[in-house]
Amino acid sequence: MPDDEMTVDELAARAGLTVRTVRFYAGRGLLPPPRLRGRTGLYGPDHLARLELVRELQALSLTLAAIERHMERIPDDASPEDLALQRALLSPWAREEPERFDRRELDRRIGRRLDDEALKKLAALGVIEQLPDGTVLLLGPGSLGAAADLSAMPLDTLIAAHESIERHTSELAVELQRVFQDTVVRPYRERGRPPEERDALLELAVKLKPLMIQSLVESFQRAVDRAIRQSASRD
């Protein structure tokens, strides 16, 4: 057996999945058939790359049906390198896993006891989610301390501010995704996905995320400063 071929057990171990899950995905058409050696199915790097891509799509909270539709559009002969590029382009930008704990642990993290009103404000800012069993899901660990200090701010103000940020950042994300697809990804595909361009595009995709986040923060800061100056001059 060549070094890059695997049994279903080895494939599952490499992908961090159970054999049952791998077989389920194969049954749904997410994996091409293995090469048969006698009665043993042998899988290659392309099968592993497809499983890794499926996991990236799951991290985006896509339904199984949506994942199937996406995978159907990928040619059967796509190389592991092409699939790695797909994964880099689709990988979530927010990698922090939400943490779940009780009120006592939340108070310990912040350094003081939070009342119910403070919890509502944290939820309004999208930092936590209050669960029915009384525990909380921490969604934004990086902003927990700063958000907890906003206890003097009216709840309605926080809700309106958060909704405004969510609305405008969602619109911006859609527009930036369209620009990247139209000016980078689509021309690459129309040129026949030349292998010599693939590594450069993969590097671009990896570097783009931190650059765009930093650019967004700095641009927003400048916009707020302009708004303050305009408001002050009117007053």
Side-chain angles (χ1 to χ4, degrees):
M1 183 172 65
D3 292 340
D4 61 354
E5 288 191 325
M6 300 163 277
T7 65
V8 67
D9 298 85
E10 292 168 334
L11 176 65
R14 290 277 299 276
L17 301 169
T18 65
V19 172
R20 182 178 180 180
T21 299
V22 172
R23 286 180 170 148
F24 172 75
Y25 288 159
R28 299 295 297 245
L30 299 180
L31 293 178
R35 184 179 74 83
L36 292 178
R37 187 184 65 184
R39 300 181 62 181
T40 302
L42 298 177
Y43 300 83
D46 57 323
H47 293 92
L48 178 59
R50 284 176 182 269
L51 287 176
E52 290 171 341
L53 178 55
V54 168
R55 297 192 70 175
E56 289 291 354
L57 294 168
Q58 288 176 325
L60 291 169
S61 300
L62 294 183
T63 64
L64 180 59
I67 292 174
E68 289 173 353
R69 287 194 297 271
H70 181 86
M71 299 298 289
E72 284 172 0
R73 295 194 294 268
I74 299 176
D76 289 340
D77 60 352
S79 69
E81 293 78 16
D82 282 329
L83 293 165
L85 176 58
Q86 279 260 350
R87 197 169 70 249
L89 294 174
L90 293 170
S91 61
W93 287 34
R95 277 296 187 183
E96 289 181 327
E97 290 294 326
E99 297 180 69
R100 179 173 176 170
F101 40 72
D102 58 24
R103 292 277 296 272
R104 181 179 298 178
E105 174 62 17
L106 181 64
D107 292 343
R108 189 192 69 79
R109 293 281 186 103
I110 294 176
R112 59 187 174 84
R113 186 181 181 284
L114 297 178
D115 57 22
D116 291 342
E117 185 68 13
L119 286 182
K120 289 180 182 178
K121 293 178 179 179
L122 288 178
L125 288 168
V127 176
I128 68 166
E129 178 183 340
Q130 293 181 272
L131 302 176
D133 63 359
T135 61
V136 296
L137 197 64
L138 179 58
L139 304 174
S143 55
L144 177 60
D149 290 336
L150 295 175
S151 57
M153 188 73 70
L155 179 59
D156 290 346
T157 301
L158 297 179
I159 292 175
H162 182 65
E163 288 178 347
S164 177
I165 291 171
E166 285 285 300
R167 181 174 64 258
H168 291 293
T169 52
S170 295
E171 293 171 356
L172 177 61
V174 170
E175 183 174 345
L176 291 177
Q177 173 72 2
R178 184 170 58 248
V179 168
F180 187 73
Q181 289 289 331
D182 290 345
T183 62
V184 178
V185 178
R186 184 170 293 117
Y188 165 75
R189 289 172 177 167
E190 291 173 348
R191 289 192 294 270
R193 296 182 173 88
E196 65 273 12
E197 294 183 19
R198 186 173 49 224
D199 289 344
L201 185 53
L202 180 59
E203 183 178 2
L204 174 63
V206 172
K207 290 182 177 179
L208 181 65
K209 295 176 182 180
L211 176 62
M212 291 303 298
I213 291 173
Q214 184 62 31
S215 176
L216 176 61
V217 171
E218 293 176 355
S219 179
F220 180 69
Q221 289 172 335
R222 290 193 296 269
V224 170
D225 287 343
R226 286 195 301 270
I228 292 172
R229 288 196 297 270
Q230 291 168 1
S231 176
S233 64
R234 288 193 302 268
D235 293 344

